[in-house]
Amino acid sequence: MVSKSDQLLIVVSILEGRHFPKRPKHMLVVEAKFDGEQLATDPVDHTDQPEFATELAWEIDRKALHQHRLQRTPIKLQCFALDPLSSAKETIGYIVLDLRTAQETKQAPKWYQLLSNKYSKFKSEIQISIALETDTKAPVDSFKAKGAPPRDGKVPASLSGLDPKDVVAVLNEEEGYHQIGPAEYCTDYFIMSVTIAFATQLEQPEDGRFLGQRQRTV
């Protein structure tokens, strides 16, 4: 079982860019891939100083994080130019982040120069920070099923001939519903919904893949 304190978020903050050419008919987007799972920023104006202001986050536990650091699993960011009219997507360049630099203490963002930059006359850069944050989801014990209050066992006058012991749920496979009680007394239909708030003690994947992903905009 993984305790809640062991749950972390790898947070990559993609803040802004500089030294980009102006392309009014295009948009810029940054896609980030970690261990085969991909997140992306929303498209922003293709200006010389694009404002991304987006955080991309992956959920992970400490054991999987340790394995990824040993394996030097990278976080690769690719920058694309989008043509909204044709949906054409041009690769502009990429950045590789070292997961080992992510710390649980706040780090100042850094400027990273795009590698294999299509805009060879420009030294395009993106300001990025990478950090580990404690996953602040609701604790495991915050939601518990409560037993229904005891019933007095009394039967309404209209059902005086019905024994409470006969009121059981029986699946009607042909009609696709559960019937509660004898058919001659069943006159109403009800819908029951069940909400699963969270899950615990699930088996961890052996390959150390992270648990999920989340995107948020700052």
Side-chain angles (χ1 to χ4, degrees):
M1 177 179 177
V2 178
S3 67
K4 208 60 187 176
S5 61
D6 286 337
Q7 298 295 331
L8 298 171
L9 294 173
I10 301 173
V11 181
V12 175
S13 301
I14 304 172
L15 304 175
E16 60 180 328
R18 65 184 180 186
H19 309 316
F20 281 79
K22 295 180 180 180
R23 299 179 68 182
K25 296 182 179 180
H26 287 74
M27 307 288 285
L28 282 171
V29 64
V30 175
E31 295 180 356
K33 181 179 288 187
F34 172 63
D35 194 30
E37 299 293 334
Q38 183 171 287
L39 297 173
T41 67
D42 291 328
V44 300
D45 293 337
H46 197 315
T47 65
D48 57 340
Q49 294 182 316
E51 295 283 344
F52 297 102
T54 300
E55 288 183 345
L56 305 178
W58 294 264
E59 297 177 355
I60 196 170
D61 63 76
R62 293 185 185 275
K63 182 178 179 181
L65 175 64
H66 179 67
Q67 290 298 320
H68 282 299
R69 282 177 161 169
L70 290 177
Q71 297 168 6
R72 299 189 177 184
T73 306
I75 300 177
K76 185 175 182 179
L77 280 61
Q78 286 190 287
C79 184
F80 297 93
L82 303 178
D83 184 343
L85 297 180
S86 66
S87 299
K89 189 176 177 180
E90 303 175 46
T91 301
I92 304 303
Y94 69 93
I95 294 168
V96 177
L97 300 178
D98 188 343
L99 183 59
R100 295 173 299 173
T101 64
Q103 303 296 327
E104 293 185 60
T105 56
K106 189 174 181 180
Q107 303 289 321
K110 298 180 180 179
W111 288 99
Y112 292 82
Q113 186 170 329
L114 286 179
L115 304 176
S116 299
N117 190 357
K118 178 181 178 180
Y119 305 135
S120 56
K121 295 182 180 180
F122 296 82
K123 294 183 179 180
S124 305
E125 297 178 318
I126 299 178
Q127 191 180 46
I128 300 169
S129 69
I130 178 172
L132 298 174
E133 295 182 6
T134 301
D135 193 344
T136 55
K137 289 182 179 178
V140 172
D141 295 332
S142 65
F143 181 89
K144 292 183 178 180
K146 297 180 179 179
R151 307 301 176 110
D152 56 16
K154 294 181 180 180
V155 179
S158 60
L159 303 177
S160 57
L162 180 63
D163 188 337
K165 296 180 180 179
D166 294 332
V167 182
V168 295
V170 178
L171 175 62
N172 186 325
E173 295 185 359
E174 293 184 359
E175 300 294 333
Y177 61 80
H178 281 82
Q179 176 181 303
I180 302 177
E184 60 268 25
Y185 292 97
C186 296
T187 58
D188 298 310
Y189 289 89
F190 301 90
I191 297 176
M192 180 180 70
S193 62
V194 177
T195 300
I196 301 175
F198 53 82
T200 62
Q201 297 183 340
L202 297 179
E203 183 179 355
Q204 283 293 107
E206 295 182 358
D207 60 1
R209 292 174 65 85
F210 48 87
L211 306 177
Q213 59 186 37
R214 187 181 71 182
Q215 177 174 339
R216 61 189 184 191
T217 302
V218 293

